[in-house]
Amino acid sequence: MKVRSLPELKTLRKALAEQAARLAAERAAAEAAQREAEERLHKDRLLFERTVGAVQRLPHHGRHLARPHPPLPRPQQRELDEQAVMREALSDLFDAETLLHTDEHLSFRRPGVGPEVARKLRQGDWSLQAQIDLHGLRTDEARETLGTFIREAHKRGLRCVRVVHGKGLGSPGKTPVLKSRVHSWLAQKNEVMAFVQARPAEGGAGALVVLLRPSPHPHH
């Protein structure tokens, strides 16, 4: 822009001065507005902290790591019952035949239990204190019934019981399926120390006489 006269120069200077003054005013107004917004934000933050109390800044990753809730009270009796049920999960695939002692009658003894125990058990030196008859039960029912019977007898402090399983003559093919299953289930029960085939007067090949471990806290 060319200035051709002194009046034009004065007019130009005046316009530039007014423009500079306007820009300065706008800058000052913007700075004042920013300061006012920051002060208002600071006051809001102070008011929030006074209202809700002390706050903790989140980790830099922006995720809040929540503390785990304290565990609920443990229903101990129910857990004990469930553990007992798990102990009754007797396997049908367990092969007890390899653990049976072959003598004049089949017998079972835990490791460390001497043969005289089985001999006295067979001779009737132990008095029978309870019995269970599994005749007519399905496999699942017989397994559960036997497991419950042994567990409860052990709790009561009983030492010698009889388990009647039958000779299997009524089974298809006359195969004593339940008899072999009962051998297997009893061999898996920790409460059982030994068992022998019953004497003829007590059921013979259709029953077992079972010796249980001593119960540390018998419940009568």
Side-chain angles (χ1 to χ4, degrees), residues 74-90:
R74 296 175 58 183
Q76 294 184 353
Q77 185 57 50
R78 188 176 68 184
E79 288 185 1
L80 292 175
D81 292 340
E82 291 174 351
Q83 291 172 5
V85 171
M86 290 301 294
R87 286 195 298 271
E88 301 311 331
L90 302 175

Side-chain angles (χ1 to χ4, degrees), residues 205-217:
L208 295 171
V209 178
V210 183
L211 182 65
L212 302 180
R213 296 181 187 276
S215 176
H217 307 289

Side-chain angles (χ1 to χ4, degrees), residues 10-62:
K10 290 182 179 180
T11 301
L12 179 60
R13 286 180 176 175
K14 182 179 180 182
L16 291 175
E18 290 175 352
Q19 183 179 8
R22 187 170 62 254
L23 292 174
E26 290 175 355
R27 187 180 303 111
E31 292 175 352
Q34 183 177 357
R35 286 195 300 272
E36 183 180 354
E38 291 176 351
E39 291 177 358
R40 186 165 56 250
L41 181 62
H42 180 65
K43 291 179 180 179
D44 290 344
R45 184 180 296 112
L46 292 178
L47 178 61
F48 176 79
E49 291 178 354
R50 284 197 297 269
T51 303
V52 303
V55 296
Q56 182 177 2
R57 185 178 298 276
L58 290 175
H60 66 85
H61 49 60

Side-chain angles (χ1 to χ4, degrees), residues 125-175:
D125 289 3
W126 294 86
S127 300
L128 289 172
Q129 297 171 290
Q131 73 171 13
I132 185 75
D133 190 344
L134 304 177
H135 268 113
L137 298 182
R138 297 194 305 269
T139 300
D140 289 344
E141 293 175 331
R143 183 195 303 111
E144 182 177 351
T145 301
L146 177 62
T148 301
F149 171 74
I150 294 296
R151 186 176 69 248
E152 293 301 321
H154 182 255
K155 279 184 180 180
R156 292 166 53 195
L158 305 186
R159 296 299 311 279
C160 186
V161 298
R162 180 171 58 174
V163 176
V164 180
H165 49 64
K167 298 179 181 179
L169 299 180
S171 303
K174 298 190 183 304
T175 303

Side-chain angles (χ1 to χ4, degrees), residues 92 97 137-139 142 165-185:
D92 292 339
E97 297 301 322
L137 298 182
R138 297 194 305 269
T139 300
H165 49 64
K167 298 179 181 179
L169 299 180
S171 303
K174 298 190 183 304
T175 303
V177 177
L178 185 58
K179 179 179 179 179
S180 61
R181 292 280 175 85
V182 169
H183 287 170
S184 172
W185 296 335

Side-chain angles (χ1 to χ4, degrees), residues 106-117:
L106 290 180
S107 63
F108 168 82
R109 290 180 281 112
R110 293 279 177 204
V113 177
E116 70 281 358
V117 173

